[in-house]
């Protein structure tokens, strides 16, 4: 099938081209984000391939349909940026990559915990400047630390498995108990009790209406003093302004973020020559005990291979008229 791939990056193109050797699709790569202004670039293509910050609202989809597009292949799991009912109206199939590498995200979470605890970013800067002073680099043993995981699905479970190796005390909150976690000795607690108990808290639940700003002022007030908070899930799980207050008061001693609630305006682009106008984000960057990465937790070669393979296979199934297990079927009235 002829595919117009949007939001292209060199790494995306490398993996797509390599994996496509066994699928034989014709792929046109566009660096532009997909939106109503760029939808015309897909004219004559059977499918578009889109990523997390592409805009697939009704207007874009109407234009894609008019240009002959029959499939939207998302190279990610989330589909909050797609108007599924508009796609259904035009009989456009929407397919996605439901899971790529939960290990990648879990391992990045652990990297953030270790880097924050042992002040690795500060230590690297100091040593490069010939400063070998240890003051300000004091960490704590992870062994016997109380770690609370919110959301024990695929990623949360792997984080817990790794932390078991560090001999942490493991706690979790999830509306659904994962038996594998219970078997490894994880103790499920109500959310408020987890917040009061743990000195490291890591978020691994989806962003839905009920979880939007679940870490707000009230939740932060309940936490232990000097807590470490990690979010590699979705930015809006945390009320960033409340987290900043928590950092200023010292309640939050360490904050690790791979995601940010207004990240669409920032992440995945090189803005090094530009002025950051988001004052909340700029304030976060000023704290020495905050580590921000730009939504890179998924970014391993294993995950990119998996994303490319599943995406190209999804398109092939749609082209052959087969029922694709990764198709999203909306309930539209
Ligand atoms: P999953 O669906 O396997 O697990 C999510 C878990 O969250 C489930 O066990 C579910 O019961 C639980 N949950 C739902 N509502 C909850 C609530 N209100 N409170 C607590 N737990 C709740 O998902 P996953 O593959 O483990 O991914 C977790 C999250 O990681 C995703 O939602 C996504 O936002 C994020 N993610 C981030 C990256 C990245 O690069 N940073 C990459 C992939 C996924």
């Amino acid at each position: 099938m002829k595919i117009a791939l949007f939001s292209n990056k060199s790494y995306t193109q490398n993996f797509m081209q390599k994996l496509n050797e066994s699928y034989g699709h014709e792929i046109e790569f566009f660096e532009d984000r997909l939106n109503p202004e760029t939808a015309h670039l897909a004219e004559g293509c059977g499918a578009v391939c889109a990523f997390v910050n592409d805009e697939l609202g009704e207007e874009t989809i109407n234009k894609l349909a008019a240009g002959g597009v029959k499939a939207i292949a998302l190279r990610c799991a989330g589909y909050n940026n797609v108007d599924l009912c508009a796609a259904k109206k035009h009989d456009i199939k929407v397919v996605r990559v439901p899971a790529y590498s939960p290990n990648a995200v879990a391992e990045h979470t652990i990297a953030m915990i270790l880097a924050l605890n042992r002040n690795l970013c500060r230590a690297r800067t100091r040593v490069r400047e010939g400063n070998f002073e240890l003051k300000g680099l004091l960490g704590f043993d992870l062994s016997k630390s109380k770690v609370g995981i919110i959301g024990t699905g695929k990623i949360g479970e792997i984080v817990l498995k790794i932390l078991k190796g560090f001999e942490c005390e493991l706690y979790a909150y999830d509306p659904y108990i994962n038996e594998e976690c219970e078997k490894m000795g994880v103790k499920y607690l109500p959310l408020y009790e987890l917040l009061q108990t743990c000195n490291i808290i890591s978020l691994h639940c989806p962003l839905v209406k009920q979880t939007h700003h679940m870490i707000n002022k009230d939740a932060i007030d309940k936490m232990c003093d000097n807590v470490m908070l990690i979010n590699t899930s979705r930015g809006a799980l945390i009320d960033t302004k409340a987290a900043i207050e928590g950092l200023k008061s010292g309640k939050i001693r360490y904050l690790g973020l791979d995601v940010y609630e207004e990240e669409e305006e920032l992440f995945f682009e090189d803005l090094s020559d530009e002025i950051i106008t988001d004052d909340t984000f700029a304030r976060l960057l000023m704290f020495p005990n905050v580590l921000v990465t730009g939504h890179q937790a998924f970014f391993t070669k294993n995950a990119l291979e998996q994303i490319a393979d599943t995406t190209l296979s999804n398109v092939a199934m749609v082209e052959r008229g087969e029922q694709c297990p990764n198709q999203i079927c909306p309930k539209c009235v």
Side-chain angles (χ1 to χ4, degrees):
M1 195 181 263
K2 190 168 174 193
I3 306 171
L5 184 147
F6 287 85
S7 296
N8 185 41
K9 298 281 179 192
S10 57
Y11 48 82
T12 307
Q13 186 159 344
N14 290 344
F15 280 94
M16 281 289 175
Q17 282 175 332
K18 184 161 164 274
L19 272 291
N20 194 39
E21 284 167 15
S22 39
Y23 288 96
H25 297 295
E26 185 188 337
I27 310 178
E28 274 194 67
F29 294 91
F30 299 102
E31 284 180 20
D32 314 63
R33 283 192 186 172
L34 176 54
N35 58 36
E37 283 71 52
T38 58
H40 67 92
L41 295 170
E43 218 174 285
C45 293
V48 290
C49 180
F51 198 46
V52 290
N53 289 328
D54 288 314
E55 291 170 38
L56 287 135
E58 191 177 5
E59 198 184 343
T60 306
I61 290 178
N62 288 344
K63 290 186 176 171
L64 292 177
V69 167
K70 295 281 170 234
I72 294 169
L74 299 169
R75 44 185 199 281
C76 53
Y79 47 87
N80 50 301
N81 54 338
V82 185
D83 185 334
L84 295 173
C85 295
K88 190 176 176 190
K89 206 166 73 190
H90 292 290
D91 198 24
I92 293 178
K93 309 267 184 301
V94 183
V95 288
R96 66 177 181 135
V97 185
Y100 22 105
S101 176
N103 293 77
V105 183
E107 289 168 17
H108 191 78
T109 304
I110 302 297
M112 292 195 115
I113 294 174
L114 292 170
L116 281 165
N117 175 23
R118 306 309 295 268
N119 292 290
L120 294 187
C121 300
R122 181 183 264 190
R124 180 174 190 269
T125 313
R126 274 195 195 177
V127 168
R128 283 162 69 99
E129 288 172 358
N131 176 357
F132 304 102
E133 169 70 79
L134 294 184
K135 192 165 165 279
L137 301 182
L138 192 66
F140 59 89
D141 287 5
L142 280 185
S143 172
K144 308 289 178 279
S145 291
K146 294 178 178 175
V147 186
I149 299 298
I150 299 181
T152 53
K154 293 180 283 298
I155 296 170
E157 181 185 329
I158 298 171
V159 172
L160 284 159
K161 268 189 197 144
I162 300 173
L163 289 171
K164 191 173 164 61
F166 280 96
E167 301 178 323
C168 298
E169 278 183 34
L170 302 175
Y171 298 91
Y173 167 72
D174 191 308
Y176 304 95
I177 286 177
N178 174 337
E179 284 175 13
E180 290 306 312
C181 295
E182 277 198 322
K183 275 189 218 154
M184 69 172 112
V186 176
K187 191 171 172 201
Y188 278 86
L189 296 175
L191 181 59
Y192 74 92
E193 222 178 297
L194 180 145
L195 298 174
Q196 289 168 344
T197 305
C198 296
N199 49 306
I200 301 175
I201 295 172
S202 188
L203 308 179
H204 300 287
C205 57
L207 175 63
V208 288
K209 218 165 87 194
Q210 300 87 317
T211 58
H212 182 266
H213 284 188
M214 73 188 301
I215 303 299
N216 54 18
K217 182 181 180 313
D218 278 357
I220 293 169
D221 285 347
K222 287 193 179 70
M223 292 178 189
C224 302
D225 288 341
N226 297 318
V227 71
M228 179 187 291
L229 179 61
I230 307 286
N231 186 9
T232 58
S233 198
R234 282 293 177 266
L237 295 178
I238 298 184
D239 176 348
T240 314
K241 291 199 166 101
I244 288 173
E245 290 310 311
L247 285 158
K248 279 159 74 176
S249 72
K251 183 76 162 175
I252 300 176
R253 174 75 185 81
Y254 314 85
L255 180 64
L257 301 177
D258 185 52
V259 285
Y260 169 60
E261 52 182 326
E262 304 294 339
E263 70 178 48
E264 290 77 11
E265 302 303 318
L266 298 164
F267 289 1
F268 305 121
E269 303 299 335
D270 179 358
L271 304 178
S272 51
D273 287 332
E274 300 191 20
I275 302 294
I276 291 184
T277 53
D278 179 335
D279 291 345
T280 307
F281 187 73
R283 181 68 184 97
L284 272 181
L285 299 183
M286 295 306 293
F287 291 99
N289 49 346
V290 174
L291 174 58
V292 181
T293 53
H295 207 139
Q296 71 169 81
F298 75 99
F299 197 58
T300 64
K301 80 188 229 332
N302 316 62
L304 291 191
E305 263 167 19
Q306 183 67 55
I307 289 170
D309 195 27
T310 306
T311 303
L312 297 169
S313 158
N314 287 343
V315 173
M317 291 184 88
V318 172
E319 188 176 24
R320 292 195 297 265
E322 293 169 16
Q323 183 60 44
C324 175
N326 299 326
Q327 186 179 336
I328 308 157
C329 299
K331 292 188 186 77
C332 302
V333 280

